[in-house]
Amino acid sequence: MIKVIVGKSTIELAKNRFDKVKIDSSKGLHQFGSEEKRVKYGFIGEEVVLHHFNIKGEDDYDYDMVYKGRKIDVKTISCKFKPHSNYLCTVNSSELEIFKKQKTEYYFFVRIKNDCSVAWILGYIKSKEFFDKSKLVKKG
């Protein structure tokens, strides 16, 4: 787990990206742009990974960046406190099949403290391996 202090420049870069998104709460939860908070935290999580690993971002529906020729999608969730070292990384989705169709090779998992002061890069996994090992847990 890598702890990253979220700087003002990271938040500003994420805000600039967020300002270009049209939020539409009538979209289904699995569609990008349906929930304002998730989009904001998602952009911050992506910027944290981009900055930490010195990667140039991509603007593609199926992945967020390319690092050493590998397509990466960053999955970010907000939290109240530092995640435990045995935290299970998750993908929030009401329709898991949508994620399985993405053309990404790896998932990076990031947690961001609710106040956006700190983030933790929890790790990464090949997307196929993630779905082979994961199980669907329905909300509630």
Side-chain angles (χ1 to χ4, degrees):
M1 179 178 344
I2 301 168
K3 179 180 178 180
V4 178
I5 302 301
V6 180
K8 290 180 183 179
S9 62
T10 299
I11 291 174
E12 189 63 30
L13 287 168
K15 182 186 178 312
N16 290 342
R17 292 174 63 198
F18 176 79
D19 288 345
K20 297 175 186 172
V21 176
K22 183 177 187 275
I23 301 297
D24 182 355
S25 60
S26 69
K27 292 179 179 179
L29 290 178
H30 66 281
Q31 292 182 311
F32 175 78
S34 64
E35 291 183 278
E36 185 174 325
K37 279 188 174 184
R38 283 177 60 182
V39 173
K40 283 181 179 179
Y41 286 121
F43 281 144
I44 295 170
E46 289 171 25
E47 292 297 334
V48 164
V49 172
L50 288 168
H51 180 75
H52 184 78
F53 293 103
N54 196 27
I55 304 170
K56 184 175 186 276
E58 301 279 330
D59 191 15
D60 193 283
Y61 174 79
D62 288 316
Y63 53 91
D64 299 321
M65 59 195 72
V66 177
Y67 182 63
K68 296 186 178 182
R70 305 288 188 203
K71 296 173 184 168
I72 297 169
D73 198 54
V74 178
K75 300 299 180 189
T76 305
I77 298 176
S78 62
C79 59
K80 294 179 182 179
F81 47 83
K82 177 183 176 182
H84 296 286
S85 60
N86 63 344
Y87 174 76
L88 294 175
C89 296
T90 59
V91 172
N92 285 335
S93 175
S94 58
E95 293 188 31
L96 202 53
E97 290 305 313
I98 301 251
F99 287 103
K100 288 183 179 182
K101 292 177 184 175
Q102 282 184 305
K103 296 177 180 95
T104 187
E105 297 171 78
Y106 285 87
Y107 286 123
F108 270 60
F109 298 95
V110 176
R111 294 288 294 233
I112 296 179
K113 195 168 178 186
N114 289 341
D115 66 4
C116 299
S117 62
V118 64
W120 295 270
I121 301 171
L122 302 176
Y124 65 92
I125 190 171
K126 287 184 177 181
S127 56
K128 183 185 178 329
E129 184 180 354
F130 175 79
F131 289 111
D132 288 346
K133 291 181 174 182
S134 66
K135 62 181 171 181
L136 178 65
V137 177
K138 295 191 178 199
K139 187 174 183 175

